[in-house]
Every structure is written in structure tokens, then in C-alpha cells.
Amino acid sequence: MLTAASIAAERPGWYESIADSAPVHMMENVLVVVQQTTGLPWWASVLCTTVALRTAITLPLAAYQMSIIAKVETLQPEIEGLAKRLRYEVSVRAKQLEWSEKIARFHFKKNLRRIVSELYVRDNCHPFKASLVIWVQIPMWVFISIAMRNLSLGTTLSAKAIQQELATGGALWFPDLTVPDTLWIMPVSLGLVNLLIVEIFALRKIELTKFQKYVTNFIRGISLVMIPIAATVPSSMALYWLSSSCVGLGQNLLLRSPRFRRVCRIPRIKADSDTPYKDIASAFIAKYFK
């Protein structure tokens, strides 16, 4: 009879379950098909696949996110006006029915939530929709990362042949994509690009809330932690992470372009600038070099 220990040993863990999941195998097939179809070396194929996926999937979602955020911000003056009027009506009603301050506050918040919800429905801009890009981008990043690891380590019979190709599919200082980058060039570059993305966000004209400041500092920490992690994984993974971050940086800058925002029909808000790149450069110099 099998003992409990042997059964537990045979049962795959959470990582093994994800690594052998359908989404990961689908990403493996995508990576292999792109490389075989284009005939590019593996390092170039990884770059092209990253650019294609992020341009086709995350860029439209990011533009949609910006549109939702702009619509919500545009609604703020109307919400403030309705809240002022509602506060007056509730105070009058409270005097008529002799409500306590607690009951009056309850009715005010309840009705204000209803009014705000109706405005979101009217303009089709519920804030939750702005998080859609995160629910797509993070799983895609995880699945592709694990797929690259599976191919680099040859975890399956079909992946062993690809592993041999990856071993000679690198370039420059990383000729072997199945081993870590011993010079730490890609890991350090990854950390710097991620920090640059965070700093560009932090340089916005709008004052960050306390929560946004906590999140910004947390992401700064994650960016630094990713450096030693990227130095221990196969170079193919580090290359994907670096290329994905570079594309993300480019997309963040593109979404600041007034012309691109007009093409995507993103509503203009007060914080928008006609010279966003000049403003970013000036703010960056003023913050770090003066």
C-alpha cells in the first residue's frame, strides 16, 4: 500500500501544476511557432514575440484604461456638485425627521454611492474596468516566463530539442540562453528600466495620494529585488523580462503623446500637457540633478 508520504511526493506542487498547465503549453507553442516561422535566431524571436504580444494585447488595453481614468476624472466636478446638493437635501430631511448625525451620514453616503454608480453606468466608465489591463498583463507575463523556463530546461520530451536550439540561440555576451547571465548586464538593465517606469509615473503633475506613494515605493522595491532574481534564471527569461519592460516603457511614453491620445479618443483632462516629453525631462532633471 502507498504511504501518505509517497502519495504527497507524487502529487505535483502548485508550481509544477502551473508549469504543466494549458496556458503555459500554449505560450510554449506560440514561441516555437514564431521562431520556426520567421527563421530568426532565438534571441531575436523572443524580442519579436514580446513586442507583438504587448502591442496587440496590452497596448489597446492600456489605452482603454487611460480612457476610463480620464472619463472618471472628467466626472469629478459633476460628482462634487451633486454631492453638495445631496448634502443640503439630506440636512433638510434630517431636520424634518429628527435624524441623528449618524443616520444622516448613512443616508448621505448611501445615496451618493447610488448617484456615482448611475454616473459610471451613464458614461460607461466604472473604475474597475481600468484594472482590466492588470488582469491580462500579469498572467500573460507569468505564463510566458514559465514557458521560457520549460523550454530552456527541457522539462518535457518536446522541449528537449528546443533546449538545444536555445543553447546556441543567444548573442553577444549571452550565447547560451539556457544559463543565467553571469555578467549581470540584463538583470541590472531590467532593474534600471523598471525603476525608470516607476519614476516617470511618480513625476506626474498630480499629487500622489498616500496609498499611491506606498504602491510606488513597493514597486521600487520589487524592481530592485528582480535584479538578483533575473541573475539566477536562464538568460531567455531575463531577455524576455527585459524586452517586456522596455516595451512597457515605450508604451507608457506613447500613451503620453497628445496625438496618440486623440487617435485613441482618450478624453483630455487638466493634467494633460501639449509637451509631455519635455515636461518629463524637465521634472526628472529638477528632481535628480539640481
Side-chain angles (χ1 to χ4, degrees):
M1 295 179 64
L2 293 175
T3 63
S6 63
I7 293 175
E10 293 176 2
R11 185 180 302 164
W14 65 269
Y15 178 82
E16 288 76 12
S17 299
I18 297 175
D20 195 33
S21 63
V24 170
H25 291 316
M26 181 180 69
M27 290 303 175
E28 291 176 8
N29 293 333
V30 168
L31 291 164
V32 173
V33 167
V34 170
Q35 195 278 328
Q36 293 178 347
T37 302
T38 61
L40 294 170
W42 265 102
W43 68 269
S45 180
V46 171
L47 294 178
C48 290
T49 304
T50 304
V51 172
L53 288 175
R54 292 213 54 162
T55 302
I57 298 175
T58 60
L59 180 57
L61 290 176
Y64 180 69
Q65 178 190 50
M66 297 295 291
S67 179
I68 295 296
I69 293 174
K71 287 181 179 179
V72 171
E73 186 164 337
T74 303
L75 278 176
Q76 294 312 304
E78 184 176 358
I79 292 174
E80 290 175 4
L82 292 172
K84 185 177 181 181
R85 179 180 175 183
L86 177 63
R87 185 176 287 107
Y88 172 75
E89 293 177 352
V90 169
S91 64
V92 172
R93 192 68 172 170
K95 290 180 180 179
Q96 292 175 347
L97 300 179
E98 298 182 352
W99 287 345
S100 65
E101 183 179 347
K102 183 177 180 180
I103 295 176
R105 191 184 307 114
F106 168 77
H107 284 284
F108 172 76
K109 292 181 177 179
K110 177 183 176 181
N111 284 279
L112 182 61
R113 283 196 298 267
R114 175 183 55 80
I115 292 172
V116 171
S117 180
E118 290 174 353
L119 291 176
Y120 288 156
V121 172
R122 185 195 69 185
D123 290 2
N124 191 24
C125 62
H126 196 285
F128 179 77
K129 294 182 179 180
S131 65
L132 181 62
V133 65
I134 298 176
W135 298 110
V136 173
Q137 182 174 325
I138 293 179
M140 184 174 71
W141 184 88
V142 171
F143 294 146
I144 296 178
S145 298
I146 298 177
M148 288 301 318
R149 185 178 186 277
N150 287 350
L151 295 175
S152 299
L153 300 182
T155 56
T156 63
L157 292 177
S158 59
K160 292 216 177 272
I162 305 299
Q163 182 188 27
Q164 298 301 318
E165 297 178 10
L166 287 168
T168 57
L172 302 175
W173 71 91
F174 56 99
D176 188 349
L177 290 173
T178 65
V179 298
D181 179 4
T182 55
L183 296 181
W184 284 54
I185 294 177
M186 284 191 287
V188 173
S189 300
L190 171 66
L192 293 176
V193 172
N194 287 337
L195 285 174
L196 183 58
I197 294 173
V198 177
E199 296 311 312
I200 289 176
F201 172 80
L203 289 173
R204 297 188 308 171
K205 291 182 179 179
I206 301 176
E207 182 67 23
L208 298 180
T209 64
K210 184 177 292 187
F211 175 75
Q212 287 175 326
K213 290 179 180 178
Y214 286 143
V215 173
T216 301
N217 289 329
F218 175 75
I219 298 177
R220 285 191 181 110
I222 293 295
S223 300
L224 295 176
V225 170
M226 286 297 295
I227 295 176
I229 294 177
T232 61
V233 300
S235 296
S236 59
M237 289 180 66
L239 178 62
Y240 165 65
W241 291 350
L242 177 58
S243 59
S244 180
S245 293
C246 288
V247 174
L249 174 61
Q251 289 181 356
N252 285 337
L253 293 175
L254 180 61
L255 288 167
R256 301 290 185 98
S257 168
R259 182 177 300 178
F260 183 78
R261 292 173 72 90
R262 285 195 298 269
V263 170
C264 296
R265 298 181 179 180
I266 299 174
R268 186 177 177 86
I269 58 177
K270 292 182 180 180
D272 286 346
S273 169
D274 293 327
T275 57
Y277 307 123
K278 182 179 178 180
D279 294 344
I280 291 174
S282 299
F284 192 85
I285 292 173
K287 183 175 181 179
Y288 297 104
F289 298 99
K290 286 187 178 180

